[in-house]
Amino acid sequence: MHINSKPSILYFGTPVVLISTKNENGTDNLAPMSSIFWLGWRCVIGLGASAQTVKNLMRTKQCVLNLPSVNEVCQVNKLAKTTGVNPVPDWKTSNGYRFEEHKFEIAGFTRQVSETVLAPRVKQCPVQMEAVVEAVHGLAEGDIDMRGRIVTFELRVQNVHIEESLLMDGQINRVDPDKWKPLIMSFQQYYSLGENVHTSALAEIPETAYNSPDRAKVINSHSQA
């Protein structure tokens, strides 16, 4: 039986992403988040307006979306209550957050140089996507109580790095979903994907049918390099 429920959060399960950006002083910020969804080679992310990642994205228009697997959960958890903002905002202070400038070091992550953006990749993450900001939007602009509190970014992915062991045999452009175990955030807890539960009618459609102009441009630029 369904009942009328009003949960404080509605995180029914989304992937954890480590967003790496460049701070104004040249250091690297690394922020875990899970408010994200993809459409083609673009994605939309949502962040609190006071976040250091927001400031960096506004200034540099670049980032790397690093996707951890279940194997990196302990390292990700070390970043959970850290912020690159100093002084720490009141809400975060009251919830146990602390300022950390050297996030790669405290989490035990290793930097990898990116090919198209200044922000570094996280070597331990099996999936790394270099991206640029295409558009910035506010959220709840019509609500005086919410206006200005959340910022959404439309990001265009322009370079993808995937751990070879996750790919289908003999296919460098297809991830094997049986091998990929992403870290999932569901109601403040860490989970991952289980076994395949049913055959999918959508899987009858070739993945190439979803090719986007963004992907085609990236492939074309690499062929001309």
Side-chain angles (χ1 to χ4, degrees):
M1 180 178 69
H2 292 77
I3 67 169
N4 194 308
S5 178
K6 299 175 178 62
S8 295
I9 56 177
L10 297 176
Y11 275 67
F12 284 88
T14 48
V16 175
V17 181
L18 295 176
I19 305 179
S20 51
T21 54
K22 276 289 182 184
N23 293 318
E24 193 169 9
N25 64 1
T27 58
D28 301 311
N29 191 55
L30 192 60
M33 57 85 72
S34 56
S35 297
I36 186 167
F37 69 89
W38 278 269
L39 288 170
W41 270 47
R42 301 198 181 208
C43 68
V44 175
I45 63 173
L47 297 162
S50 64
Q52 186 65 32
T53 299
V54 169
K55 299 175 183 178
N56 292 345
L57 285 173
M58 290 289 198
R59 188 184 70 259
T60 68
K61 309 297 183 184
Q62 299 179 348
C63 68
V64 180
L65 305 169
N66 303 277
L67 273 60
S69 72
V70 294
N71 299 321
E72 291 76 49
V73 63
C74 291
Q75 290 169 280
V76 171
N77 200 45
K78 292 179 180 179
L79 296 172
K81 286 190 175 182
T82 65
T83 177
V85 177
N86 190 22
V88 181
D90 291 341
W91 182 90
K92 289 192 173 182
T93 298
S94 64
N95 284 282
Y97 281 74
R98 70 184 189 279
F99 168 71
E100 289 287 354
E101 184 175 51
H102 304 290
K103 294 190 179 182
F104 273 82
E105 288 75 14
I106 68 164
F109 283 126
T110 307
R111 294 172 177 80
Q112 272 187 310
V113 176
S114 297
E115 296 178 358
T116 66
V117 298
L118 294 176
R121 296 177 280 148
V122 177
K123 183 177 181 179
Q124 287 81 359
C125 287
V127 180
Q128 310 154 338
M129 292 177 279
E130 300 172 21
V132 293
V133 175
E134 286 289 314
V136 181
H137 305 280
L139 192 70
E141 290 294 305
D143 188 327
I144 191 171
D145 296 319
M146 286 289 295
R147 187 186 307 143
R149 295 175 58 181
I150 299 173
V151 181
T152 63
F153 292 88
E154 177 189 339
L155 304 176
R156 175 173 54 81
V157 175
Q158 59 182 19
N159 209 11
V160 180
H161 308 265
I162 300 176
E163 169 59 44
E164 187 176 1
S165 62
L166 299 182
L167 300 174
M168 290 185 174
D169 294 339
Q171 300 195 54
I172 64 171
N173 294 322
R174 291 194 66 186
V175 174
D176 189 333
D178 287 326
K179 298 176 182 178
W180 171 226
K181 300 300 179 185
L183 190 60
I184 300 293
M185 177 62 65
S186 179
F187 291 97
Q188 297 180 288
Q189 298 293 337
Y190 296 114
Y191 292 89
S192 189
L193 300 180
E195 298 300 317
N196 189 303
V197 297
H198 198 279
T199 56
S200 169
L202 288 178
E204 299 170 4
I205 303 171
E207 285 191 11
T208 52
Y210 295 96
N211 283 344
S212 68
D214 290 328
R215 178 178 182 270
K217 290 175 184 175
V218 170
I219 293 174
N220 185 53
S221 66
H222 285 182
S223 66
Q224 295 177 354

